[in-house]
Structure formats: C-alpha cells, structure tokens
Amino acid sequence: MSQGIQLEVWGPYALFTRPELKVERASYDVMTPSAARGLVEAIYFHPGLRWHIDRIHVLNPIAFTNLRRNEVKDKVLASNVRSVMMGAAKPLAIYTGESIQQRASMLLTNVRYVIEAHFTMTDRANPTDNEGKFIDIARRRISSGKCFHQPCFGCREFPASFGTWAGGPIPAIDETRDLGLMLYDMDYSNPRDIRPLFFRARLEKGVLEVAGQEVLR
C-alpha cells in the first residue's frame, strides 16, 4: 500500500442517495465510499493513479432534515445527438420551465468527516511518475485548497469544504450502528454494462471501515 492522506471535509448539507428510494430522495446515514472517492478525485485526479478509500470517520452527530428541491426530470437523448450529427432535426434543448419538478429530499445536515485514503498506480502512469511524486502533489493541493472542480457531498448544490487533518487522534462520534447494504462503487470494467457494487456497512464507534470489506455484485 502506498502512502495515504487524511482529508477533513465538512459542509451544511449532504445527500448520498439510497438507490432503492428513487422518487423522493433519501440519504444514507454516512458518506458512501463512492462519494468519498469522487470528492478526493475532485481535488486531485491523474490517469496514472486510482484512489481507494480505507475508512471514513464521522465527526459530527448524524442528523437529518427535509428539503424540497427542484430537479430536471428530462435529459437529452444520446440517440438525438447522433441523429443531429448525421444531419437530422432532433431536439437537443431542455427547457427548465417545462422539465423542472419539485421533489422532497431527506438530507444529512452539519456533516464533518475525515477520509483516509491511499492510491495505487495504474498502467496509464508515465515512466517519470512515481508514488512519492503523486502523494506530494495531492498533499500540496489539499493544504492549499486547490481542486479541479468544486468537491460536493453527493449533489453539486451541496459543496464540501476541505483541508488536511491536523493530526493526532480523530474525535469520531461514539456511536455504533448497522448501516445495512451500502453502495461501495461502480464497476466500469465493461462500459456497456456498468454495475453497482455494494457491501455490508457498519459504523463502529463513529468509524466506517471500508478497506478489506467483501464486495457484493
């Protein structure tokens, strides 16, 4: 395992949507490993590495709130784009006045986590790339607040602030609960058949252990 990072993230709202509840969105109790990886990649991504989430520490009490949000119910079809490229006249616009609908969402509020993660090198790394170079860049970007795009907690309208954990013991909440089946990540090995991966999640004294968990396909 390469050297890792300890990333502190926080924000007023978060929505890590449970896939079994699609019409009215409801969040998992804790950030998912998939969302954590996406947040880390928003800060530093390189095709020569892949981030792996080891554990997530929950620092603030788990609390929910309800909010009504405007969502766009339509999307531009890929088939329409292909037809337009061939010269056909197909609609490529979405008019928000016609496509917006209100939906209730159950959000997490006042969230704060410490994400522990490491990376592995991929076959897309350059000959001059190495683990030391990557970890130095990642840590500098975190400490200076740089990112490729705004990190978020599940949805773009819920931005995440971030910084390097100051070090020392991480004061996770003293709470243990079974979180049930949780989204682990997406399997992109077959681009024509992208599948979700799940694992049996458990919060143990405020820590969600991700590394070494059995993944269910």
Side-chain angles (χ1 to χ4, degrees):
M1 181 185 297
S2 68
Q3 299 182 72
I5 59 170
Q6 288 185 324
L7 175 68
E8 184 178 8
V9 294
W10 63 92
Y13 297 108
L15 177 55
F16 309 114
T17 306
R18 304 184 70 99
E20 69 270 27
L21 303 173
K22 294 182 178 179
V23 177
E24 305 294 337
R25 295 180 183 269
S27 178
Y28 282 107
D29 295 12
V30 178
M31 169 185 267
T32 65
S34 174
R37 181 177 62 80
L39 195 153
V40 174
E41 288 183 344
I43 298 170
Y44 182 54
F45 171 81
H46 189 285
L49 64 84
R50 176 172 176 79
W51 287 103
H52 305 275
I53 305 303
D54 297 319
R55 62 194 57 84
I56 300 171
H57 303 257
V58 183
L59 273 59
N60 285 354
I62 299 171
F64 289 91
T65 188
N66 290 308
L67 185 70
R68 297 193 69 85
R69 304 163 56 242
N70 290 330
E71 294 190 4
V72 177
K73 63 182 179 65
D74 299 316
K75 61 181 180 181
V76 175
L77 299 177
S79 58
N80 284 1
V81 176
R82 287 193 294 267
S83 297
V84 170
M85 292 174 65
M86 299 299 292
K90 293 284 187 177
L92 293 181
I94 294 177
Y95 300 98
T96 55
E98 301 173 1
S99 298
I100 278 184
Q101 60 184 7
Q102 276 202 344
R103 288 182 177 175
S105 299
M106 187 167 69
L107 317 175
L108 290 166
T109 182
N110 190 27
V111 297
R112 184 178 291 266
Y113 306 105
V114 171
I115 301 169
E116 292 192 55
H118 74 280
F119 64 84
T120 54
M121 304 284 287
T122 72
D123 56 7
R124 298 179 66 187
N126 297 319
T128 57
D129 292 332
N130 57 73
E131 293 183 357
K133 169 186 172 181
F134 282 152
I135 197 66
D136 287 345
I137 294 173
R139 289 173 176 170
R140 284 200 304 268
R141 292 182 67 85
I142 293 170
S143 62
S144 61
K146 293 181 179 179
C147 55
F148 291 120
H149 58 84
Q150 176 61 53
C152 63
F153 287 123
C155 295
R156 290 184 179 181
E157 61 261 48
F158 304 134
S161 301
F162 65 92
T164 303
W165 174 246
I170 302 175
I173 59 175
D174 186 14
E175 184 171 343
T176 297
R177 66 169 75 175
D178 186 355
L179 301 174
L181 282 178
M182 175 180 280
L183 179 66
Y184 178 81
D185 214 327
M186 303 298 291
D187 181 4
Y188 295 99
S189 58
N190 182 359
R192 296 180 178 274
D193 187 21
I194 300 173
R195 300 195 172 201
L197 305 175
F198 295 87
F199 75 113
R200 298 191 179 278
R202 180 175 177 79
L203 191 69
E204 192 72 38
K205 293 186 176 180
V207 180
L208 175 62
E209 194 71 34
V210 179
Q213 296 294 327
E214 180 183 1
V215 178
L216 307 176
R217 298 175 183 271

